[in-house]
Amino acid sequence: MPNIKPISDLRNYSDVLRDVTVDSPVFLTKNGRGRYAIIDIQDYEEMKATLTLMNELAKGRKLGEEKGWLSSDDVRAHFKAKQNSV
């Protein structure tokens, strides 16, 4: 169940921060509407990494659609050649 608090609860910010845990953000409302989310740093880092990965995958897909896809044999050959050069 989401942990929702009015922004005025930040007067006692240590109580609000105590409620923030991994996989359990605190959502703050302003004038009765959702406005802010306070999340654990671990959740933030995971979200940031996920967004970076999704962005790179989208770039790869676009490149594959524009320039063509490599076969699995081509990929294996590429990495074997790279491994042999090390």
Side-chain angles (χ1 to χ4, degrees):
M1 178 161 220
N3 192 349
I4 302 170
K5 299 178 180 281
I7 198 166
S8 61
D9 280 8
L10 283 178
R11 288 185 195 115
N12 300 317
Y13 65 89
S14 59
D15 292 338
V16 173
L17 294 179
R18 192 175 304 119
D19 291 340
V20 177
T21 59
V22 175
D23 294 329
S24 182
V26 171
F27 300 100
L28 300 175
T29 62
K30 186 174 182 181
N31 298 324
R33 296 180 181 263
R35 182 74 175 152
Y36 304 101
I38 303 174
I39 62 173
D40 182 84
I41 193 73
Q42 183 178 339
D43 289 335
Y44 171 77
E45 293 295 337
E46 287 177 16
M47 182 174 49
K48 189 174 163 186
T50 299
L51 289 171
T52 299
L53 175 61
M54 297 301 291
N55 187 37
E56 292 300 314
L57 289 171
K59 285 181 192 177
R61 176 179 218 134
K62 182 178 179 185
L63 189 62
E65 290 169 351
E66 290 173 355
K67 296 192 175 190
W69 299 96
L70 294 176
S71 71
S72 58
D73 292 335
D74 291 338
V75 173
R76 280 190 201 94
H78 168 79
F79 284 110
K80 279 185 182 180
K82 196 169 191 169
Q83 184 180 18
N84 291 336
S85 68
V86 172

